Amino acid sequence: MKDLLWDEFQDAVQEGLVRHRSILDVVTKLQDSHVRVAGAVFKSATTCGCIRINAQKPQVPPDISLQQLKTYMDDHIEGELCAHCREVLEEEIGRVLFYLAALANLLDINVYDVLIKENQKVSALGLYHMS
Ligand SMILES: [Zn+2]
């Protein structure tokens, strides 16, 4: 059975989107929401300090398999988000979802259908998907 939560959300966004109905506004707001997510991540490191971003070139031996490569890749995050930074980031991710739903509405795309297709691709391709 199809989960209706996303469909309900898309409908609610459709109803709630009054001021920024133009595709131009919606695409701009969606891009802006992505920038805000990145800003929230960086502020967690540079303003709050609950996480540290410690990035360096990975030391990968030659001739290893893609499966082995995974173990040499680092997420470059030290520490954990504090409650405040988590709340801010969740809010910004929510904004991305809102404008993603708004864009999908304007172009008659059902994001839940996209999610199902993407899940099938990830499940089928595993490691090779978007690597
Ligand atoms: Zn924090």
Side-chain angles (χ1 to χ4, degrees), residues 44 48-50 81-82 85:
S44 298
C48 176
C50 57
L81 288 175
C82 69
C85 290

Side-chain angles (χ1 to χ4, degrees), residues 41 44-46 49-55 75-80:
V41 170
S44 298
T46 61
C50 57
I51 62 167
R52 285 170 303 285
I53 299 170
N54 185 4
D75 63 14
H76 302 133
I77 303 167
E78 293 174 4
E80 282 180 24

